[in-house]
Amino acid sequence: MTAISEASALMTLGGVTKQYPAVVALHEVDLSFTEGITGLLGENGAGKSTMIKILLGLVPPTSGSVRVLGEDVTRNPLVRTRLGYMPEHDCLPFEAPAAEFLCHMAEVSGLPAARARMRAADTLRHVGLFEARHRPMGTYSTGMKQRVKLAQALVHDPDIVLLDEPAAGLDPAGRDDMLDLVRKTYREFGITVVFSSHLMSDVERTCDRITVLEGGRVAKSGAVAEYTAETRTLFVEVDGNRERFVAALKARGVAVGVGKGGVAVQASDEDLSDLVRDALVEAEAPLRRMAPRRRELAELFTGVDEDHDEPGETG
Amino acid sequence: MADATTAKTAGDPKAGGVVFDIGYQRYAGPREGRRRARLAVYKDGFRKVLGLGRGAKAKLLPWACILVMVGISIIMSAMAGFGQRALGDAGAEMVPGTSHYFYYTFGLVILFVFAALVAPRLLCPDRRNATLHLYLVRPLTATDYVQARWAAFLTVMVLVAWVPQFVLLAGRVLGHPEPLAYLDANWTDIPKFLLAGVAMAAMVTSVSMLASGLVTRRGYASVLLIALFVIPNAVTAPFAFNPQFQWVSVFSLGDILGETNKLIFNGVEQAEEAGTQVEQAFEALEDFDSAPTRFSPAFLLAAYFGWLLAPGAILWMYYRRLRL
């Protein structure tokens, strides 16, 4: 886990345990959240939603301390004027138009009525629902409802927004749109995002940092870039003479894995690129693409470490 | 980041204009915290009960009840005016059932129906749709939420109780040949019907909100409320004129409110415990408007505040312990 100083942390959990009658949802969790987009990744029941509810002050921890923006959220509900929350489940009153609902939610967050109306219209524009804002929400598609849920979390301009499975139930296009909005929320709006998901690809595409929860414990936490760092393996695609190229590599003592798309090359030698260049020249193989192979976030769960990056079929 | 695009104005198609997309703007205005949050929930509750800002379907039930109540008070003032003109002052008093006190004796029934139909709109949908989550992640506690909804419904109930009484008052004043003389002689009715209206509204609000808070479906809450208003009344009715078992009436909302009404309008004089059920019933009919209460004021007030405070306290504790 990467150490984060208390000063830069927006939210901190210190030794938090949450015990329900039949299950321990969180066990001695120490964790800090900083500015940016943090993904909370874990299977169903890993404790993601419980952690979000504890951060919001909806559920008190059984033990441990929770600080949000420097305050104890369970004792000071005013902290929640700076927090936004998008639940996983349906939560919208179907008979109300989105504009009216958002205006109401902005007022409930403490904004004066006139400002609330302006913020509601602006926020609906930013999530792409401006044209449909006067329609009852019961007539919206699933994707539109997800956007309203995001909009109500943003309408009062929080410093931090907690999104519980924001892309759940969406088709691939809707999922892409929602993840774009999540990225935009931090990159353009400047609002820190904590984003829970059980889908690796969503987190990998969207987040700067990742925390992996397993059985109520923090299994891993750090920058996404750390987990998707380059390996010592080169992935090479050639347009012809592939067999000769592979033979030339093997002649140089390089481990080679041959797949459908190309050739994975690994060596401990610092000059691996030079070896590949020489083999390409010797085999007269036209180079199409050469890039270092990156680890995939999925390997966090499968337990694959760098040693397993070696090509499967070696010479 | 500003992004400018050229656009034509609607008024002059040839004229060019520049529309600026100024992007997302951070909010730098005031944040008024819990006070604003409570006010917003209160305002929303008030509008929901009366169906304001919603379609005709949402307005139908509450406004039908209000129109019936106002219509009754108009009929009552017309009857009093007719008696006055046909028979003089003495005649007006002889026309039965035109007093402010009398209005509440059956206005209460419509008030019960109104509460059963519309009170569930305040709490049931927020729990059923899980919108309550969205309230409680804002600077609002469960107590704030319940108090604001309770206050919103009380406001509507008080208005619904008072408006027909003011219509009746206006009718009786305007129907009298000497309106000022009528007001001078009957002005004490005004604080009485105001106080009785608040008393009725508060108790019905408390019970209605509890029933609405315990279930998530509006229909179930309405049925529960109607049962709560009707069944205890029917069960305790046989004991109403039996001095030994009159305490049973404490379980009847209708009886408690009816007796509280009497206490407010007719003072602390208590009924004689002698007499048979039939005799007392005849006496009550003969002198309806000045009927004494069946209970001692202390007993009645204890029963009234029990019905008022207990449901409110249960509702408050229930929401405080509610885990989302």
Side-chain angles (χ1 to χ4, degrees):
Chain A
M1 188 192 305
T2 307
I4 297 167
S5 74
E6 284 290 318
S8 64
L10 298 175
M11 300 190 288
T12 311
L13 298 164
V16 167
T17 295
K18 180 62 192 177
Q19 168 95 53
Y20 289 111
V23 67
V24 181
L26 291 176
H27 187 84
E28 293 286 329
V29 171
D30 290 298
L31 191 61
S32 294
F33 294 90
T34 51
E35 196 181 302
I37 307 178
T38 303
L40 273 181
L41 191 61
E43 294 173 355
N44 291 333
K48 307 184 297 290
S49 295
T50 301
M51 183 181 282
I52 286 179
K53 286 177 182 174
I54 286 175
L55 289 167
L56 288 162
L58 282 178
V59 173
T62 308
S63 64
S65 67
V66 185
R67 308 290 292 180
V68 175
L69 297 169
E71 301 279 346
D72 181 345
V73 72
T74 55
R75 294 188 179 178
N76 182 7
L78 281 179
V79 180
R80 295 199 286 254
T81 58
R82 300 284 181 177
L83 296 180
Y85 170 54
M86 174 183 174
E88 178 185 5
H89 51 73
D90 284 342
C91 58
L92 303 175
F94 61 87
E95 79 285 1
E100 184 188 312
F101 177 65
L102 251 68
C103 179
H104 175 53
M105 283 292 133
E107 276 196 76
V108 178
S109 299
L111 272 59
R115 307 274 186 127
R117 275 194 296 277
M118 287 168 57
R119 285 288 310 176
D122 280 352
T123 311
L124 284 167
R125 183 164 51 82
H126 286 299
V127 300
L129 285 176
F130 191 73
E131 298 297 327
R133 68 192 185 282
H134 295 307
R135 271 171 48 195
M137 289 184 284
T139 65
Y140 284 5
S141 66
T142 306
M144 292 167 86
K145 285 178 184 167
Q146 289 295 94
R147 283 163 183 262
V148 180
K149 281 163 62 178
L150 179 62
Q152 64 77 30
L154 300 175
V155 70
H156 54 294
D157 190 30
D159 292 332
I160 305 168
V161 67
L162 297 110
L163 313 177
D164 198 355
E165 305 268 6
L170 297 178
D171 58 24
R175 176 175 291 275
D176 287 346
D177 289 346
M178 178 52 68
L179 296 179
D180 282 346
L181 269 174
V182 172
R183 276 191 293 269
K184 199 171 149 186
T185 299
Y186 175 65
R187 309 243 154 83
E188 291 183 26
F189 306 169
I191 297 168
T192 289
V193 177
V194 175
F195 158 40
S196 87
S197 177
H198 62 277
L199 293 176
M200 189 79 69
S201 56
D202 289 358
V203 173
E204 190 166 10
R205 286 165 57 189
T206 314
C207 299
D208 305 320
R209 298 181 59 80
I210 182 173
T211 294
V212 181
L213 291 176
E214 279 179 357
R217 296 170 192 268
V218 176
K220 289 185 170 69
S221 185
V224 169
E226 288 175 25
Y227 295 109
T228 57
E230 292 176 3
T231 63
R232 291 196 303 268
T233 303
L234 276 178
F235 187 77
V236 185
E237 283 182 61
V238 290
D239 280 335
N241 293 338
R242 193 162 79 157
E243 290 75 19
R244 287 172 61 187
F245 172 57
V246 170
L249 286 170
K250 287 178 179 173
R252 285 167 173 78
V254 176
V256 181
V258 181
K260 286 182 183 173
V263 179
V265 186
Q266 187 178 14
S268 55
D269 198 319
E270 292 286 321
D271 298 324
L272 179 61
S273 302
D274 292 344
L275 289 174
V276 171
R277 180 201 60 203
D278 294 345
L280 285 167
V281 170
E282 183 186 315
E284 295 180 343
L287 177 66
R288 180 191 294 168
R289 189 169 78 92
M290 182 168 79
R293 181 186 171 281
R294 288 181 177 275
R295 283 193 299 184
E296 291 176 2
L297 213 46
E299 292 164 11
L300 284 174
F301 284 103
T302 54
V304 175
D305 58 23
E306 198 165 333
D307 294 339
H308 291 79
D309 286 333
E310 289 179 355
E313 295 176 28
T314 57
Chain B
M1 191 188 306
D3 176 26
T5 53
T6 305
K8 290 178 178 175
T9 62
D12 181 2
K14 291 180 181 174
V18 178
V19 176
F20 286 95
D21 178 4
I22 56 174
Y24 185 84
Q25 299 293 299
R26 296 306 303 253
Y27 177 73
R31 292 179 192 266
E32 298 174 356
R34 286 173 74 183
R35 187 184 64 81
R36 170 63 62 180
R38 282 190 292 240
L39 182 64
V41 176
Y42 171 85
K43 274 188 347 191
D44 179 66
F46 187 89
R47 290 167 59 82
K48 266 188 178 164
V49 171
L50 296 175
L52 303 178
R54 292 283 177 276
K57 197 176 160 189
K59 293 185 179 76
L60 182 65
L61 290 174
W63 290 99
C65 287
I66 292 168
L67 284 177
V68 168
M69 294 170 93
V70 170
I72 287 169
S73 64
I74 289 171
I75 291 168
M76 286 171 68
S77 53
M79 284 167 62
F82 175 78
Q84 173 73 42
R85 287 178 195 286
L87 304 167
D89 279 349
E93 294 309 315
M94 286 167 67
V95 178
T98 59
S99 67
H100 293 284
Y101 166 70
F102 186 78
Y103 169 78
Y104 273 149
T105 58
F106 61 85
L108 178 61
V109 176
I110 306 172
L111 208 63
F112 278 156
V113 173
F114 177 84
L117 294 177
V118 298
R121 293 179 178 188
L122 284 172
L123 298 178
C124 297
D126 286 346
R127 283 189 57 212
R128 186 165 165 75
N129 299 330
T131 314
L132 186 60
H133 287 72
L134 303 184
Y135 284 108
L136 299 187
V137 296
R138 291 179 152 78
L140 194 77
T141 62
T143 304
D144 293 333
Y145 169 82
V146 168
Q147 282 176 348
R149 289 292 202 220
W150 198 95
F153 194 57
L154 176 66
T155 307
V156 174
M157 289 292 283
V158 167
L159 290 176
V160 170
W162 280 356
V163 165
Q165 289 281 21
F166 279 111
V167 171
L168 178 60
L169 179 69
R172 295 207 62 170
V173 169
L174 295 174
H176 198 276
E178 295 177 57
L180 289 179
Y182 176 83
L183 264 182
D184 189 45
N186 297 284
W187 71 269
T188 54
D189 280 351
I190 299 171
K192 284 177 182 173
F193 75 65
L194 291 178
L195 180 61
V198 172
M200 282 167 46
M203 197 170 117
V204 176
T205 295
S206 211
V207 173
S208 306
M209 294 300 279
L210 175 62
S212 307
L214 296 181
V215 294
T216 56
R217 284 179 180 270
R218 281 163 48 179
Y220 292 167
S222 292
V223 170
L224 178 63
L225 277 169
I226 288 175
L228 202 59
F229 294 145
V230 172
I231 293 172
N233 218 30
V235 169
T236 60
F239 304 98
F241 295 101
N242 187 331
Q244 281 187 312
F245 295 102
Q246 279 188 348
W247 59 270
V248 175
S249 296
V250 81
F251 297 107
S252 164
L253 274 170
D255 278 358
I256 294 298
L257 281 177
E259 296 302 312
T260 306
N261 211 11
K262 279 182 195 169
L263 185 69
I264 291 169
F265 275 92
N266 302 332
V268 295
E269 187 189 348
Q270 203 181 338
E272 295 290 327
E273 291 193 350
T276 64
Q277 183 175 332
V278 175
E279 283 168 355
Q280 285 199 348
F282 273 113
E283 283 168 15
L285 283 175
E286 281 170 10
D287 199 8
F288 191 88
D289 286 355
S290 58
T293 61
R294 284 186 273 134
F295 308 123
S296 73
F299 179 80
L300 185 56
L301 286 175
Y304 173 82
F305 281 105
W307 272 106
L308 175 70
L309 299 177
I314 294 168
L315 182 67
W316 174 61
M317 286 190 289
Y318 181 73
Y319 268 78
R320 276 192 69 190
R321 288 162 185 253
L322 199 62
R323 290 286 167 251
L324 302 173

